[in-house]
Amino acid sequence: MDTVEELNGTYFFNGMSNLSATELYFWILLDSVNEQMDGIEDIATLALIILGQPLVRTRRKFRTATKGTSIASLYSRRYLDIELPFRLPTFTNASLRYLKPMWVNNLGKFVGRTIPVLGWVLLASDIATIFYKATSRYNKIARGNDKIW
């Protein structure tokens, strides 16, 4: 459990004294970030996002296409060049701008375009978990009107 005291309307938390309610939430949030971001999963999440960025130069494309291609897309198209009998929705940087999925019937293209999306979903999940845990922990500590919600 956290070491917290109330002193003259301020808080004492983990060796820091005279904290306002906002400062208390800030330090709890940083502590929650530290707890959440401590494993190999976080490195994998960042790797998925980076590998999915269009950093590799390519031939000229249509004006509405994303310039370049990603390492994930290059390798997945190389090793998973399988034509499917149906089409699958994918998103690229350009298609997100128009909020329209790009449809592909190649498994490699689908996997290459899905890798960064998976990374962003995992990152969003981490962020939501951090804020949920920090807010819950803060509300257990804070008094009266200082509580959130």
Side-chain angles (χ1 to χ4, degrees), residues 6 11 21-22 138-139 141-149:
E6 181 187 344
Y11 294 95
T22 307
Y138 171 80
N139 281 338
I141 296 169
R143 64 187 179 283
N145 291 336
D146 289 341
K147 292 185 179 193
I148 300 172
W149 298 311

Side-chain angles (χ1 to χ4, degrees), residues 11-23:
Y11 294 95
F12 175 87
F13 177 74
N14 288 344
M16 295 171 280
S17 59
N18 294 325
L19 298 175
S20 68
T22 307
E23 292 169 329

Side-chain angles (χ1 to χ4, degrees), residues 76-144:
S76 64
R77 281 183 282 143
R78 181 180 300 161
Y79 296 112
L80 295 173
D81 190 18
I82 300 167
E83 292 299 318
L84 301 171
F86 50 88
R87 297 180 340 160
L88 297 167
T90 64
F91 286 96
T92 62
N93 292 348
S95 68
L96 282 175
R97 235 177 286 151
Y98 300 108
L99 295 176
K100 251 179 122 173
M102 305 284 287
W103 293 86
V104 297
N105 59 352
N106 183 288
L107 183 61
K109 285 182 184 178
F110 175 75
V111 170
R113 291 179 182 176
T114 304
I115 285 174
V117 173
L118 182 60
W120 286 111
V121 167
L122 291 171
L123 182 61
S125 172
D126 276 346
I127 291 169
T129 301
I130 288 166
F131 277 97
Y132 175 77
K133 287 181 178 178
T135 303
S136 296
R137 188 171 165 194
Y138 171 80
N139 281 338
K140 288 178 186 172
I141 296 169
R143 64 187 179 283

